[in-house]
Amino acid sequence: MTTLPPTIIVDLQASIRGRVWSPADAGFDGARRPWNLAVEQNVCAVVEAADADDIVDLMRFARENGVPIATQPSGHGATGRTAGAILLRTTRLNRIDIDAGRMTARIGAGVRSGDLQRAAAVHDLTALPGSSPVVTVTGAALGGGLSWFGRSFGWMADSVLGFEVVDADGKARRVTPTTDPDLFWALRGGGGELAIVTAVELQLRAAPQLFGGRQLWPAVHARQVAEVYRSITEAAPESLTLWLELLSFPGADPMVAIDSTYLGDEATARRLMHDTSLLPTPLSDTRAPMSVADLGTITAEPTDPAPGQSRAELLTRLDDTALTALLDEPISPLMAVQIRHLGGALARPSDSPHGALSEPYLAYLFGVPTSDAVGASIVRKQTALAEALPTTGRKPATFLNPSERLADALPAVSLRRLAQLKKERDPEFIVQGNFSVLG
Ligand SMILES: Cc1cc2nc3c(=O)[nH]c(=O)nc-3n(C[C@H](O)[C@H](O)[C@H](O)COP(=O)(O)OP(=O)(O)OC[C@H]3O[C@@H](n4cnc5c(N)ncnc54)[C@H](O)[C@@H]3O)c2cc1C
C-alpha cells in the first residue's frame, strides 16, 4: 500500500471540510472498498468531499503534493487502477434540481440513477436510466451510458447539456458546447480523466406512461423464448426495448427471461409483444404499467456491494449460429447472460467519443468469482462464448472489465483526440480515471 507521510496527511485533513481516511484510521478499509468486491484497490487516502469547493481545495492539495486523484462515487466500474492515488468519493454531492418547464435537471455528481428517476417521476419526466438504480448518473454518462431508453433517445451522454467541473488547474467552471467544445465532447463518453465533474445538467424526456417487467420461464424453453425474442426485436419500434436473460443461480433451476420496457400504453405494449403469449405459460410475469421510478427493479440486480466478473461483446447479428452458441450448453459457471437490444437512436450519428453504435445487440456475460479457480473458469467460459458469437470485438466503455482498455471501446480517432487533450489539460496526470485515455 502506498502511503503519504504523516505531515502530508495532516495537511490533507486541514484542507478538506468533508471526511478524510488515512491508512491509519479505523474504517479505512471499508472506505476504500469499491462496490464491485471482486476488485482490490489500493489508495493512499480516501476523501469524501463536502461539496464542490472541497474538490477545488483537494485539487490544489493534489497538485502541490504531486498525488493523483481517482474519483469513484460507488466503484461499480472499479478497475483497481488507483495505486498511489487519493480516492475521491462524491457521495455528498447529491442535490437534484428539476426544472419541469424546461424539462431539465441539474444534479450533483454523486446522484444515483434511481434517485434521479424518483425525482423526475413526480413531474412525469424521465432521465435515461440503465439497469441499476445505484450507479451514478455522472459515472455512467462519462462512459457514454446505455439506457433502457437508448433506442429512443441515444446514449445517456447525448442528453447532457452541460457539466460543472474542477479542472486539473484547480478551477471550478461550467463546460458546455460553447464554453469549451473539446472538453464537452470528451466528457460525453471519454471517461473521467480530463476533469472532476461536480454537477451535470441533463435534458429530461416526457414519460407519461410506461409498461414493463419480466416474464420468466424454465430454461427448457430457452430456444423458443430466444426465437420469439429475436422476432419481436427485429420488428420493434424504438419505444420498445427487450433484453433476453439466461439465468443460472446457485441452488436454483436455470431460467430464461424476457425483460421489457415500453414507453407508451399497456394495450400497445401487449400487442407488440403478442408472440410471448404463444409461448408456454411463464412461471411469472411481472409486466404491468409502472413508474419510471421503479425501472431499477426489473432486472433485480443487487444494490448492495457484490463481487462480479463480466465481459461484454457487441454483436453484429443474432442469427441461428449465435443462438446455438448461447443455448447449446449450460451457461454455468456464469450466473447470467444478458442480450440487450440496441439500435434505434443509438445507431444514429452521435457527436461523442463513441459515435454511433451500429451493432444491434450487446451480450453481457456475468459470473461471480467465489474463488480463484471459479474466476479462471468464468474467464474460460466468457472467452469461449465470445469466440463463438458474431462480435465486432469492441464494447461500450461502461461495460469494459478491469482487464480491458479504453481502446477496446472507442474509435482510434477519438482516443487520439482524448490523449491530446489530456496532455494539454493535465500534463502532470493529477486526474486519474478507471480507464486511461493514454491506453
Ligand atoms: C449492476 C450493474 C449494472 C450496470 N448497468 C449499466 C447499464 O445499464 N448501462 C450502462 O451503461 N452501464 C451499466 N453499468 C456500468 C456502469 O454504468 C459503469 O460501471 C459506470 O462507470 C458506473 O459509474 P459509477 O459512478 O456508479 O461507478 P464508479 O466505479 O464509482 O465510477 C466509474 C468511473 O467514472 C468516473 N467518474 C465517476 N464520477 C466522476 C466524477 N464526478 N468526475 C470524474 N470522473 C468520474 C471515474 O473514472 C470512475 O472510475 C452497470 C454496472 C453494474 C455493476
Side-chain angles (χ1 to χ4, degrees):
M1 174 110 29
T2 322
T3 51
L4 292 174
T7 50
I8 303 274
I9 288 283
V10 170
D11 286 351
L12 176 61
Q13 278 159 339
S15 310
I16 299 297
R17 281 169 298 110
R19 200 157 167 199
V20 177
W21 288 265
S22 80
D25 293 327
F28 173 73
D29 278 339
R32 76 181 165 95
R33 196 173 293 141
W35 187 92
N36 184 350
L37 299 175
V39 176
E40 177 60 29
Q41 60 184 13
N42 290 324
V43 298
C44 61
V46 182
V47 168
E48 186 182 74
D51 51 29
D53 290 343
D54 236 5
I55 297 178
V56 171
D57 292 336
L58 176 64
M59 188 68 89
R60 188 181 315 120
F61 170 90
R63 282 172 64 86
E64 281 170 8
N65 292 284
V67 188
I69 302 170
T71 312
Q72 186 184 84
S74 72
H76 279 77
T79 54
R81 296 182 185 123
T82 51
I86 296 171
L87 193 71
L88 169 63
R89 301 286 190 206
T90 51
T91 330
R92 287 205 224 168
L93 281 69
N94 58 2
R95 191 179 159 130
I96 301 175
D97 293 299
I98 305 257
D99 183 332
R102 288 174 59 226
M103 294 184 23
T104 59
R106 179 192 174 276
I107 59 163
V111 167
R112 304 185 310 173
S113 173
D115 297 330
L116 175 56
Q117 286 304 109
R118 267 189 292 283
V122 173
H123 305 282
D124 282 342
L125 296 172
T126 184
L128 302 189
S131 57
S132 167
V134 293
V135 160
T136 71
V137 178
T138 301
L142 286 169
L146 286 181
S147 161
W148 268 116
F149 305 143
R151 288 170 43 70
S152 290
F153 304 119
W155 294 101
M156 292 180 195
D158 289 338
S159 289
V160 175
L161 301 171
F163 295 93
E164 289 166 37
V165 306
V166 174
D167 64 20
D169 290 335
K171 292 194 192 78
R173 57 199 186 85
R174 191 152 179 271
V175 177
T176 69
T178 42
T179 64
D180 190 342
D182 284 331
L183 190 53
F184 183 73
W185 168 84
L187 293 174
R188 289 180 305 127
E193 205 162 73
L194 287 157
I196 297 177
V197 175
T198 55
V200 183
E201 192 186 346
L202 291 167
Q203 183 69 59
L204 302 177
R205 320 280 171 165
Q209 294 188 86
L210 176 69
F211 180 81
R214 165 170 286 184
Q215 294 164 280
L216 186 72
W217 296 265
V220 66
H221 302 306
R223 183 96 203 184
Q224 277 170 280
V225 173
E227 284 174 2
V228 164
Y229 168 82
R230 179 173 59 185
S231 71
I232 296 176
T233 53
E234 279 170 357
E238 291 174 1
S239 44
L240 178 68
T241 298
L242 265 57
W243 298 348
L244 178 72
E245 311 269 359
L246 308 176
L247 305 167
S248 178
F249 296 120
D253 292 333
M255 303 282 171
V256 58
I258 292 178
D259 295 337
S260 54
T261 63
Y262 178 66
L263 263 175
D265 65 277
E266 175 172 1
T268 311
R270 289 196 183 277
R271 182 175 53 73
L272 291 166
M273 295 183 68
H274 170 260
D275 284 1
T276 63
S277 66
L278 307 177
L279 288 164
T281 307
L283 296 167
S284 60
D285 182 355
T286 65
R287 288 176 308 155
M290 65 189 300
S291 161
V292 293
D294 297 328
L295 276 163
T297 62
I298 294 181
T299 52
E301 285 164 10
T303 49
D304 289 334
Q309 200 171 299
S310 65
R311 173 167 173 165
E313 293 291 342
L314 288 163
L315 306 184
T316 54
R317 59 195 177 278
L318 197 59
D319 57 11
D320 286 346
T321 313
L323 288 191
T324 301
L326 290 168
L327 301 170
D328 251 19
E329 288 179 15
I331 64 163
S332 136
L334 301 183
M335 222 177 245
V337 170
Q338 181 183 66
I339 304 296
R340 291 190 180 198
H341 188 206
L342 306 175
L346 288 165
R348 292 199 277 276
S350 164
D351 169 30
S352 67
H354 273 91
L357 198 56
S358 56
E359 295 91 336
Y361 296 95
L362 170 86
Y364 180 69
L365 318 171
F366 176 84
V368 174
T370 47
S371 68
D372 288 350
V374 174
S377 69
I378 288 170
V379 170
R380 280 196 297 278
K381 182 71 177 178
Q382 289 168 333
T383 307
L385 275 171
E387 282 169 1
L389 288 167
T391 74
T392 50
R394 68 172 192 144
K395 34 218 100 198
T398 47
F399 284 78
L400 292 171
N401 70 32
S403 74
E404 295 169 330
R405 297 175 314 131
L406 212 46
D408 296 312
L410 301 183
V413 63
S414 293
L415 264 187
R416 278 197 297 277
R417 188 171 167 194
L418 289 167
Q420 182 59 34
L421 279 170
K422 181 74 180 169
K423 281 181 201 143
E424 290 165 15
R425 307 291 180 103
D426 184 17
E428 290 160 60
F429 219 94
I430 298 294
V431 182
Q432 191 173 299
N434 53 351
F435 293 100
S436 175
V437 297
L438 302 183

